[in-house]
Amino acid sequence: LDLFQCWGYELVITPHVEFLESLLTGSGQDLDLRTFKVIDPLSGRQMGLRADITPQVARVDAHTLRREGPSRLCYAGSVLHAKPQALSTSRSPIQLGAELYGDASAASDIEVISLMLEMLELAEVPDVHMDLGHVGIYRGLAKAAGLSGEAEQRLFDALQRKSRPDLEAVLAGADARARDSLSALLNLHGDASVLDRAAAELAPVAPAVSDALETLRAVAAQVGAHHPGVDVYFDLAELRGYHYHTGIVFAAYLPGHGEAVANGGRYDNVGRAYGRARPATGFATDLKTLVQLQAARAGNGGESAGAIAAPAGDDPALVAAINELRAAGEVVIVSLAGETDPRCDRELAAAGGSWAVRPRRGKTRQDS
């Protein structure tokens, strides 16, 4: 959150529980199925525990702030999912995110992606690989194929499962060019050459594809310039959050970690249900996942900073020394009843009328 603040993002805090009609306004069926519902004992009305903070932040932008220019907002808080998004994910993640409202340019997408990567660097997450996609490509091709309603939903499901037989079954009655172009999405993933192939195979079918491809090129170039150590991978069948995303989508992955550690995209008009259809882009991550990744690194040879044991007492010099160490960012644990916390690899001891930090006797930093 301090990092977000340095980029100009203001912290907003939203309710954990709301009446269902407020919580799910404009969010669609996906969020409805993920929302844990309870009955308010006072009114008898149905309430929900938030499953996603983004719709609440959109309401803050639309109703509370009502700014004409860009708004940069961030948040951190627990959410609850009626069912997990994947077998390996928690039903109660701690959602951390940043969102930029009021600007429709690619510069906004580049900013939030750069902030996401900066956040992962701050969290010491190594070897980040980033997927880039654009839902406008799929939307343009589906429109050209004349698909809508149930057929489009079935096509979407087939693409997410990378199931060619199901995809071909949905497209059986579609125009041959549109059918071939939608089928081609399954193979359009890889390095930047994917964009050239897409321009040749897809743009003639749906002109809107050209604009989406140009946006992907511009964003990838800028992200690569600011974060040269990050591998960028293009996946034109990536439709994460398709039902509310309207443009570029992105996700950060780690080798050997199946689920994205952070993801986001553009979701223009998310505030339409609240009376203000504003451009918007942003990302979110789960703080629990970031902490687990750090713990795993520490367990594989990462070194903990340890803590400092301090004796209990009311000596003004001792109290001042403890306060000074804590203000400097050190963890100082007062030893109660003579018991020293096992995390401590150093101790605060009296020395010549003052207090000084020294290695804890019988304890080395390596042991901690």
Side-chain angles (χ1 to χ4, degrees):
L1 290 174
D2 288 342
L3 172 68
F4 296 169
Q5 184 182 31
C6 290
W7 284 54
Y9 287 74
E10 302 170 87
L11 177 66
V12 295
I13 300 174
T14 62
H16 283 81
V17 182
E18 296 191 58
F19 288 114
L20 208 57
E21 59 268 27
S22 298
L23 194 64
L24 298 182
T25 296
S27 62
Q29 185 180 19
D30 285 355
L31 194 56
D32 185 19
L33 295 175
R34 288 165 50 197
T35 299
F36 199 101
K37 302 174 179 69
V38 295
I39 300 297
D40 176 21
L42 294 180
S43 66
R45 295 167 61 191
Q46 202 169 25
M47 304 187 77
L49 286 81
R50 64 186 183 190
D52 186 0
I53 299 179
T54 290
Q56 295 180 307
V57 177
R59 193 174 63 203
V60 170
D61 175 71
H63 281 182
T64 307
L65 299 179
R66 299 196 61 82
R67 293 171 180 164
E68 292 303 321
S71 291
R72 291 173 170 84
L73 306 175
C74 63
Y75 58 85
S78 59
V79 296
L80 183 64
H81 296 160
K83 54 184 178 180
Q85 292 182 288
L87 292 176
S88 60
T89 58
S90 170
R91 290 179 63 191
S92 57
I94 301 175
Q95 188 177 340
L96 169 74
E99 304 181 6
L100 201 165
Y101 293 86
D103 185 83
S105 71
S108 296
D109 298 309
I110 294 166
E111 177 173 317
V112 297
I113 292 173
S114 296
L115 180 57
M116 179 188 75
L117 294 174
E118 194 86 12
M119 175 203 69
L120 294 174
E121 183 178 340
L122 178 66
E124 300 177 355
V125 176
D127 304 323
V128 173
H129 298 254
M130 192 177 70
D131 276 15
L132 273 180
H134 197 299
V135 300
I137 295 173
Y138 169 75
R139 290 185 192 277
L141 295 175
K143 183 177 180 181
L147 297 176
S148 61
E150 181 185 353
E152 185 179 351
Q153 181 60 50
R154 288 167 54 210
L155 177 63
F156 168 78
D157 292 338
L159 279 172
Q160 292 309 282
R161 291 183 284 106
K162 308 290 187 187
S163 173
R164 187 174 294 278
D166 289 344
L167 187 144
E168 291 174 350
V170 176
L171 297 173
D175 174 78
R177 292 180 68 204
R179 182 175 65 245
D180 292 344
S181 63
L182 283 163
S183 298
L185 286 177
L186 293 176
N187 299 319
L188 287 173
H189 51 84
D191 60 22
S193 64
V194 164
L195 304 184
D196 296 327
R197 289 165 49 203
E201 297 178 32
L202 308 182
V205 179
V209 169
S210 296
D211 292 338
L213 292 173
E214 286 306 308
T215 298
L216 283 174
R217 291 183 197 277
V219 169
Q222 288 295 316
V223 169
H226 294 141
H227 301 273
V230 175
D231 291 329
V232 177
Y233 182 89
F234 297 92
D235 186 352
L236 303 191
E238 171 56 59
L239 298 173
R240 182 187 301 271
Y242 164 72
H243 295 296
Y244 65 91
H245 278 137
T246 59
I248 196 165
V249 290
F250 51 87
Y253 290 92
L254 305 181
H257 195 81
E259 296 297 318
V261 295
N263 59 73
R266 177 162 289 279
Y267 36 91
D268 292 345
N269 304 325
V270 67
R272 186 192 304 275
Y274 310 115
R276 295 192 78 204
R278 299 238 290 164
T281 182
F283 72 89
T285 186
D286 176 15
L287 277 175
K288 285 186 177 180
T289 298
L290 299 187
V291 170
Q292 289 167 357
L293 290 170
Q294 285 189 329
R297 289 190 66 216
N300 291 326
E303 187 174 293
S304 172
I308 300 170
D314 55 4
D315 177 5
L318 171 61
V319 173
I322 292 173
N323 291 339
E324 183 177 344
L325 287 167
R326 287 173 174 164
E330 293 280 6
V331 176
V332 182
I333 303 174
V334 174
S335 300
L336 303 175
E339 294 291 333
T340 300
D341 191 289
R343 292 171 290 176
C344 296
D345 62 354
R346 291 159 292 162
E347 61 185 7
L348 191 59
S354 62
W355 294 87
V357 177
R358 68 185 185 189
R360 181 183 158 200
R361 292 177 182 175
K363 182 82 168 179
T364 66
R365 183 175 290 271
Q366 185 176 0
D367 293 333
S368 67

